[in-house]
Amino acid sequence: MGLLQNIDLLSVSVVLAGIVILGFTVYFNNRKSITNTSFLYLAIFISAWSALNYASYKVFDAGQIIWILRGVVFSAIWFAFFIFTFFYVFPKEKINFPKWYKYLLVPIVVVVSFLTFTPLVFEQIDTLSATGGALTVTNGPAIFVFGILVFFLDGGAFLLLLVKTIKATKEERKPYRTILYGVIITLSLLLTFNFIFPAFLNNPNIIPYGAFFVFPFVALAAYATYKQKLLNLSNILYGLLAFFIPLILAVEFVFVSNVSLMVIIGTAFIISLVVGIKFIRDIFKLEELAGELSVSNKKQEDLLHVMNHDVKKPLARDISIFANILDGTYGAIPSEMKGIVEEGLKLTRADTQGFIDYLNNANLKTGEVKYEEKPFDVRHAIETATQSMKKELDDANVKLESKIENGSFIIKGDEEKFVIHVLDNLLRNLAKYAKNATAILSLARHGDKILVTLKDTGVGMSSVTMARLFTKGGKGEHSTEINKESTGEGLYDAKVVTENHDGRIWAESAGPGKGSTFFVELPASKTND
């Protein structure tokens, strides 16, 4: 087989790959849409019809040709049926088909399509062409049924599209008009090269290129689908990427003349097409999962807001009631009740703080937390945190000393979240694990870095405990012995927020009983240097 003879195979292969990729790209964009689904089936049967039509002119065996021709008319019926269906449903996503469609048209199409594989449509090949294919064929008695059905489906489809175009508003008319142009171009090409050339010019050589004649319709129908927002630009780019490898393999057809090599390339071409379709499907699945995850996160965030309001509010009220009782707001209380009220206040505060920690951690895990991006002074953040935690530290008999150097300590970020999730957590841990101890809270500037250091003389940590710090649910070896309410979430929150400020947090300890030091390093704001 000469190189020039393979150009037709290259061209048909490229067009067929393009039609198939287009069909699956449209379908995977919205598998629930009846318009997209109909377009996929239309693309599949157009491709089958085009491939078999090409093959029928390249085979020299009468037995093979008769079955290929039967395949041509079989796919032609379904080609026409899905043109009719596509025009009927476009551009709707859902539709209820009428009874005449489900119980009359579909059964007729099924029966007639399977009749095409019997001698009732094509009986036999009479004469063969020297260049491949059949010159004359003996038709069976049911050939006219095939012709009437295809004429009805194609004619009905064209009338449907015409009526929809006329009835549509000026803005709605654009996609219909686009498809109509595609139909007119394709019909003109088919009429010219499948009828006029062979009938009047005795030139059937162009008939095998049927894929070219239907491609304008497929391309413009896909474009109309895109304009109806049933397909977007990124989806088309995915389709082009999936089309690239089959295109490269199809080009190889031009450079080989060995039949065995052509079979290998053809097999690789088909496999690459299947892989390309799977690639498109997987890309769309990833997009769907990303969308579902976004919706899930939004729902979780909404639930957390509701919980934040509906649960924190009564807990805060209970704290206020206990505190007012202790302060004597409601009058003096018996001494034997004082211990009970103090314990109630302590437990309610612990429960409230535990709930707040849970909410904060859950918000962080959604990945949807919004951070403010504005300059703030770490010095002021430390003052805010130490003031808010003063009572808790006093109750634990922790002597806290602050050592703040001179200089600028401005960083860019969210001061409120930094105070609540980082500084408050560190100071709360100090109150729990360094009772009756001393601690130094330092703030220093080292070049373009700001360093917050909290050093205590508390219980200290083992290497095992330090390895668990800042991990989700990471509790120390004996943390629950000292702090029964420990969840291990506080330092995880601190790590997440610190890293969202482009910083890092870590801890050091010489061992159990030898105190601990926590470090928070942050980038200084360049605008304030």
Side-chain angles (χ1 to χ4, degrees), residues 26-161:
V26 169
Y27 171 68
F28 287 133
N29 184 68
N30 185 359
R31 282 173 284 185
K32 295 179 181 179
S33 167
I34 187 63
T35 295
N36 294 35
T37 303
S38 300
F39 184 83
L40 170 63
Y41 286 120
L42 175 58
I44 289 172
F45 282 103
I46 284 176
S47 301
W49 174 82
S50 301
L52 292 167
N53 183 57
Y54 174 82
S56 69
Y57 284 87
K58 300 298 175 181
V59 177
F60 295 87
D61 180 81
Q64 293 176 359
I65 293 173
I66 190 69
W67 282 105
I68 292 174
L69 286 176
R70 287 169 179 170
V72 170
V73 293
F74 173 84
S75 54
I77 289 175
W78 288 101
F79 173 1
F81 172 74
F82 281 109
I83 282 183
F84 180 87
T85 301
F86 178 69
F87 288 175
Y88 185 85
V89 301
F90 182 87
K92 296 179 180 178
E93 185 170 330
K94 294 181 181 179
I95 194 170
N96 290 320
F97 287 104
K99 290 182 179 180
W100 61 263
Y101 179 94
K102 293 187 286 187
Y103 303 118
L104 181 62
L105 181 60
V106 172
I108 289 174
V109 170
V110 171
V111 171
V112 175
S113 67
F114 282 101
L115 281 179
T116 60
F117 287 111
T118 71
L120 292 172
V121 175
F122 288 141
E123 288 187 7
Q124 63 182 27
I125 304 297
D126 294 328
T127 56
L128 295 172
S129 169
T131 57
L135 283 177
T136 57
V137 181
T138 298
N139 295 325
I143 190 68
F144 76 94
V145 177
F146 161 76
I148 291 172
L149 179 59
V150 171
F151 177 80
F152 169 79
L153 290 170
D154 286 341
F158 186 77
L159 285 174
L160 266 175
L161 182 61

Side-chain angles (χ1 to χ4, degrees), residues 186-226:
T186 290
L187 287 178
S188 300
L189 291 171
L190 289 172
L191 183 65
T192 302
F193 298 110
N194 280 32
F195 178 68
I196 295 175
F197 266 55
F200 297 102
L201 302 177
N202 196 30
N203 182 3
N205 297 330
I206 307 178
I207 293 178
Y209 299 95
F212 280 97
F213 311 150
V214 295
F215 186 75
F217 160 68
V218 176
L220 288 173
Y223 177 73
T225 306
Y226 161 71

